[in-house]
PDB file of all heavy atoms in Angstrom:
ATOM      1  N   ARG A  21       2.236  17.980 -19.751  1.00 96.00           N
ATOM      2  CA  ARG A  21       1.447  18.155 -18.530  1.00 96.00           C
ATOM      3  C   ARG A  21       0.876  16.780 -18.198  1.00 96.00           C
ATOM      4  O   ARG A  21       0.065  16.266 -18.922  1.00 96.00           O
ATOM      5  CB  ARG A  21       0.374  19.145 -18.915  1.00 96.00           C
ATOM      6  CG  ARG A  21      -0.281  19.823 -17.686  1.00 96.00           C
ATOM      7  CD  ARG A  21      -1.077  21.093 -18.113  1.00 96.00           C
ATOM      8  NE  ARG A  21      -1.701  21.698 -16.914  1.00 96.00           N
ATOM      9  CZ  ARG A  21      -2.923  21.532 -16.558  1.00 96.00           C
ATOM     10  NH1 ARG A  21      -3.772  20.764 -17.265  1.00 96.00           N
ATOM     11  NH2 ARG A  21      -3.436  22.140 -15.508  1.00 96.00           N
ATOM     12  N   ARG A  76     -18.467   6.926  -5.616  1.00 91.00           N
ATOM     13  CA  ARG A  76     -18.117   8.238  -5.144  1.00 91.00           C
ATOM     14  C   ARG A  76     -16.776   8.704  -5.619  1.00 91.00           C
ATOM     15  O   ARG A  76     -16.590   9.792  -6.142  1.00 91.00           O
ATOM     16  CB  ARG A  76     -18.139   8.270  -3.616  1.00 91.00           C
ATOM     17  CG  ARG A  76     -18.015   9.628  -2.900  1.00 91.00           C
ATOM     18  CD  ARG A  76     -18.322   9.453  -1.450  1.00 91.00           C
ATOM     19  NE  ARG A  76     -17.217   8.903  -0.682  1.00 91.00           N
ATOM     20  CZ  ARG A  76     -17.257   7.720  -0.067  1.00 91.00           C
ATOM     21  NH1 ARG A  76     -18.365   6.944  -0.123  1.00 91.00           N
ATOM     22  NH2 ARG A  76     -16.266   7.286   0.677  1.00 91.00           N
ATOM     23  N   GLU A 130     -11.096 -11.653  -2.703  1.00 87.00           N
ATOM     24  CA  GLU A 130     -10.508 -12.691  -1.797  1.00 87.00           C
ATOM     25  C   GLU A 130     -10.440 -12.201  -0.361  1.00 87.00           C
ATOM     26  O   GLU A 130     -10.445 -12.985   0.556  1.00 87.00           O
ATOM     27  CB  GLU A 130      -9.139 -13.027  -2.276  1.00 87.00           C
ATOM     28  CG  GLU A 130      -9.000 -13.691  -3.681  1.00 87.00           C
ATOM     29  CD  GLU A 130      -7.612 -13.884  -4.075  1.00 87.00           C
ATOM     30  OE1 GLU A 130      -6.669 -13.938  -3.223  1.00 87.00           O
ATOM     31  OE2 GLU A 130      -7.341 -13.989  -5.356  1.00 87.00           O
ATOM     32  N   ARG A 204      21.950  -2.531  20.390  1.00 61.00           N
ATOM     33  CA  ARG A 204      20.680  -1.984  20.627  1.00 61.00           C
ATOM     34  C   ARG A 204      20.652  -1.472  22.075  1.00 61.00           C
ATOM     35  O   ARG A 204      21.364  -1.903  22.973  1.00 61.00           O
ATOM     36  CB  ARG A 204      19.657  -2.993  20.374  1.00 61.00           C
ATOM     37  CG  ARG A 204      19.694  -4.228  21.158  1.00 61.00           C
ATOM     38  CD  ARG A 204      18.520  -5.158  20.909  1.00 61.00           C
ATOM     39  NE  ARG A 204      17.282  -4.616  21.299  1.00 61.00           N
ATOM     40  CZ  ARG A 204      16.830  -4.740  22.543  1.00 61.00           C
ATOM     41  NH1 ARG A 204      17.534  -5.407  23.492  1.00 61.00           N
ATOM     42  NH2 ARG A 204      15.743  -4.201  22.851  1.00 61.00           N
ATOM     43  N   ASP A 224      -5.174  -6.999  17.728  1.00 96.00           N
ATOM     44  CA  ASP A 224      -5.698  -7.712  18.883  1.00 96.00           C
ATOM     45  C   ASP A 224      -4.865  -8.950  19.133  1.00 96.00           C
ATOM     46  O   ASP A 224      -4.531  -9.272  20.331  1.00 96.00           O
ATOM     47  CB  ASP A 224      -7.147  -7.984  18.699  1.00 96.00           C
ATOM     48  CG  ASP A 224      -7.467  -8.809  17.431  1.00 96.00           C
ATOM     49  OD1 ASP A 224      -6.735  -8.590  16.418  1.00 96.00           O
ATOM     50  OD2 ASP A 224      -8.447  -9.598  17.476  1.00 96.00           O
ATOM     51  N   VAL A 243       1.032   1.971  16.547  1.00 97.00           N
ATOM     52  CA  VAL A 243       0.564   3.174  15.855  1.00 97.00           C
ATOM     53  C   VAL A 243      -0.726   2.806  15.130  1.00 97.00           C
ATOM     54  O   VAL A 243      -0.724   2.104  14.200  1.00 97.00           O
ATOM     55  CB  VAL A 243       1.631   3.583  14.832  1.00 97.00           C
ATOM     56  CG1 VAL A 243       1.224   4.848  14.075  1.00 97.00           C
ATOM     57  CG2 VAL A 243       3.055   3.910  15.497  1.00 97.00           C
ATOM     58  N   PHE A 256       2.394   0.691  24.439  1.00 95.00           N
ATOM     59  CA  PHE A 256       2.296   2.152  24.179  1.00 95.00           C
ATOM     60  C   PHE A 256       1.507   2.458  22.978  1.00 95.00           C
ATOM     61  O   PHE A 256       1.622   1.678  21.916  1.00 95.00           O
ATOM     62  CB  PHE A 256       3.723   2.749  24.005  1.00 95.00           C
ATOM     63  CG  PHE A 256       4.646   2.395  25.157  1.00 95.00           C
ATOM     64  CD1 PHE A 256       5.429   1.223  25.203  1.00 95.00           C
ATOM     65  CD2 PHE A 256       4.715   3.253  26.277  1.00 95.00           C
ATOM     66  CE1 PHE A 256       6.261   0.896  26.268  1.00 95.00           C
ATOM     67  CE2 PHE A 256       5.579   2.972  27.334  1.00 95.00           C
ATOM     68  CZ  PHE A 256       6.324   1.817  27.368  1.00 95.00           C
ATOM     69  N   ASP A 326      -2.451 -17.479  13.202  1.00 98.00           N
ATOM     70  CA  ASP A 326      -1.615 -18.596  13.784  1.00 98.00           C
ATOM     71  C   ASP A 326      -0.925 -18.058  15.050  1.00 98.00           C
ATOM     72  O   ASP A 326       0.195 -17.566  14.950  1.00 98.00           O
ATOM     73  CB  ASP A 326      -0.639 -19.070  12.759  1.00 98.00           C
ATOM     74  CG  ASP A 326       0.066 -20.369  13.180  1.00 98.00           C
ATOM     75  OD1 ASP A 326       0.106 -20.681  14.453  1.00 98.00           O
ATOM     76  OD2 ASP A 326       0.541 -21.104  12.301  1.00 98.00           O
ATOM     77  N   SER A 336      12.040 -16.442  19.157  1.00 97.00           N
ATOM     78  CA  SER A 336      13.387 -16.694  18.524  1.00 97.00           C
ATOM     79  C   SER A 336      14.099 -15.305  18.460  1.00 97.00           C
ATOM     80  O   SER A 336      15.410 -15.220  18.610  1.00 97.00           O
ATOM     81  CB  SER A 336      13.268 -17.195  17.081  1.00 97.00           C
ATOM     82  OG  SER A 336      12.583 -16.331  16.216  1.00 97.00           O
TER      83      SER A 336
END
Side-chain angles (χ1 to χ4, degrees):
R21 200 164 181 262
R76 188 170 75 247
E130 298 174 20
R204 57 177 296 275
D224 55 327
V243 179
F256 305 88
D326 190 338
S336 66

